Structure formats: structure tokens, C-alpha cells
């Protein structure tokens, strides 16, 4: 398979990655001793989503194009993907740290900024809440990436269809393109 080069192709790959990640998060149940390892793997994949979104921004920057409102919306949405998934990564890594600290007997800060010693079950429950939050945050990522790819392609086609050939050495062709159609009546 060829590696994708167009921003729309990368957005489609991002959509499939979001789907795979959401499926994996749905199967993630913080219940045992391997929970921290599982969450670390999920955090790595979530960070991959953020990196992919930033890569798409780089690809968009390399494309010569008019930055219409639709294209600016594509940029904004891809940057939102990056920020959202980076925040989701932080949530998962926070859950890993919470589990590790609880396992080591280190008190953790609660919402009131007090140090509290949690049981491992309490830490697992909190980790489960964070996994649910991450899943809820990125559940629409796949559909949004598809919609963004469609917007990008639609806008590029729209802009491309209205562009006249830019061949200064070929004025007759330009005149034919610009002249009104003459149909036999």
C-alpha cells in the first residue's frame, strides 16, 4: 500500500485510528494488576492520535491553497483533534500515576488539595472514571475526521473548478475558456 500524501487521506486514516482507539477504550476495564500497563498502552496510542493530527497540520501547511473560511475550519478542527487527544493522553497518564502511587502507598491529592491515602480499589475506580471520560471526549473523533476530510475535499474541488488555466503563453486557450458558449440554434 502506498503511503498517503494528501491531507484528506491522512484525515481518513485518523478517522480509522480514532475508531480503533475507541474500540480499545471500550474494552478497557481497570480491574487488575495490569491496569497501569494497559492504560500506558492506551495513553501511547492516544498520543499517536495527537501526533497524527499535528502531522496533518504540517501537511496542510505544505499545500499551496487559498485559505477560505472552509479551509480555515479544517485547520481549526485538526488542531482541536490534537489538543483534545493530548488532553486525553494527560488524563490516562494521570490515571497511571494514580495507580502507581496508590500501589506504592504514596498519598495523592484529592479535589480539595488534601493528601489522601487511597485503597487500590478506589484508585481503580478513579482510573475507570478517567477512561470513561477519555472515551466520551474522543468518541466523535472518527466522525469529525470524516466530516473534516469531506469539507477539505469539497472546498478544494470547488476552488479547483473555478480556476482558469494559468498559461500566459497560451492566450487562445484562455480566450476559449472565458468566452461565452456559442451553440448552434
Amino acid at each position: 500500500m502506498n503511503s498517503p500524501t494528501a491531507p484528506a487521506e491522512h484525515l481518513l486514516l485518523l478517522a480509522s485510528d480514532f475508531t480503533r482507539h475507541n474500540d480499545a477504550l471500550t474494552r478497557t476495564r481497570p480491574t487488575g494488576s495490569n491496569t497501569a500497563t494497559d492504560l500506558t498502552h492506551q495513553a501511547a496510542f492516544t498520543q499517536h492520535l495527537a501526533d497524527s493530527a499535528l502531522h496533518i497540520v504540517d501537511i496542510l501547511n505544505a499545500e499551496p491553497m487559498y485559505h477560505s473560511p472552509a479551509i480555515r475550519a479544517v485547520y481549526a478542527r485538526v488542531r482541536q483533534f490534537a489538543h483534545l487527544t493530548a488532553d486525553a493522553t494527560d488524563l490516562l497518564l494521570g490515571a497511571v500515576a494514580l495507580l502507581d502511587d496508590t500501589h506504592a502507598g504514596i498519598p495523592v491529592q484529592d479535589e480539595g488539595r488534601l493528601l489522601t491515602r487511597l485503597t487500590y480499589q478506589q484508585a481503580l475506580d478513579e482510573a475507570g472514571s478517567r477512561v470513561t471520560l477519555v472515551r466520551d471526549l474522543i468518541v466523535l473523533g472518527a466522525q469529525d475526521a470524516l466530516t473534516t476530510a469531506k469539507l477539505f475535499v469539497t472546498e478544494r474541488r470547488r476552488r479547483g473548478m473555478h480556476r482558469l488555466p494559468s498559461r500566459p503563453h497560451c492566450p487562445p486557450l484562455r480566450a476559449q475558456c472565458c468566452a461565452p458558449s456559442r451553440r448552434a440554434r
Side-chain angles (χ1 to χ4, degrees):
M1 180 175 165
N2 294 335
S3 62
T5 56
E9 291 173 321
H10 283 278
L11 283 164
L12 294 175
L13 286 174
L14 184 63
S16 68
D17 286 347
F18 267 113
T19 299
R20 272 195 299 279
H21 188 46
N22 284 329
D23 291 346
L25 285 172
T26 301
R27 291 188 303 270
T28 300
R29 303 274 185 252
T31 57
S33 60
N34 291 335
T35 300
T37 303
D38 293 343
L39 292 179
T40 301
H41 292 301
Q42 293 300 328
F45 195 76
T46 308
Q47 184 59 48
H48 166 74
L49 292 172
D51 294 342
S52 294
L54 291 173
H55 180 66
I56 292 170
V57 170
D58 291 340
I59 291 169
L60 287 168
N61 286 336
E63 288 276 317
M65 68 181 122
Y66 171 69
H67 288 245
S68 67
I71 295 298
R72 287 194 302 270
V74 168
Y75 268 98
R77 191 64 192 134
V78 173
R79 285 186 187 111
Q80 287 173 348
F81 292 146
H83 288 289
L84 186 68
T85 52
D87 290 346
T89 301
D90 290 342
L91 282 168
L92 291 172
L93 292 175
V96 170
L98 178 73
L99 290 169
D100 288 345
D101 289 350
T102 301
H103 185 70
I106 300 170
V108 296
Q109 285 188 336
D110 63 8
E111 293 174 13
R113 303 288 183 221
L114 299 174
L115 290 179
T116 306
R117 211 175 280 268
L118 298 178
T119 66
Y120 198 68
Q121 186 57 49
Q122 290 171 320
L124 286 173
D125 292 344
E126 176 61 26
S129 296
R130 291 182 187 197
V131 168
T132 301
L133 179 60
V134 167
R135 189 174 54 240
D136 291 346
L137 282 173
I138 64 174
V139 71
L140 298 176
Q143 184 59 45
D144 286 349
L146 289 174
T147 302
T148 304
K150 182 179 177 183
L151 176 64
F152 178 79
V153 169
T154 302
E155 178 64 11
R156 291 292 291 204
R157 282 187 181 160
R158 189 177 78 76
R159 290 282 170 193
M161 291 168 74
H162 291 98
R163 214 177 289 147
L164 296 173
S166 59
R167 297 180 184 163
H169 63 281
C170 190
L173 177 61
R174 189 163 182 85
Q176 289 173 359
C177 291
C178 297
S181 161
R182 294 183 187 160
R183 295 186 184 172
R185 294 186 183 172

